[in-house]
Amino acid sequence: MSTVMDSGEEIGAIRTIRRGVHFSPELKEGIRGTRALAVLASAGPVVVPIAVQQVLDRGVNGPGGPDV
């Protein structure tokens, strides 16, 4: 997929992003922040089941039973 500029030149998506970063360097900081948040959001679905399993194995089903 390409974008047509006013000059009639066709450019691709990556080149469009590079031009945007060239004219607005603040986009680099935004992209870094977005990437960091995406990594954290991706880790959530992995961490929650492991935490639940540990609570069940060590707390509820532990050697002395549940500690209420």
Side-chain angles (χ1 to χ4, degrees):
M1 181 174 250
S2 62
T3 303
V4 179
M5 295 179 52
D6 289 338
S7 65
E9 175 188 9
E10 287 193 20
I11 60 173
I14 297 297
R15 188 160 171 217
T16 301
I17 292 171
R18 285 186 182 145
R19 284 179 53 97
V21 170
H22 174 74
F23 289 114
S24 180
E26 295 85 8
L27 288 175
K28 277 186 187 176
E29 289 181 32
I31 290 172
R32 288 184 188 133
T34 301
R35 189 177 297 158
L37 290 174
V39 168
L40 287 174
S42 297
V46 174
V47 170
V48 171
I50 293 173
V52 169
Q53 179 186 11
Q54 293 300 313
V55 167
L56 291 175
D57 289 349
R58 295 181 182 187
V60 178
N61 296 329
D67 182 15
V68 284

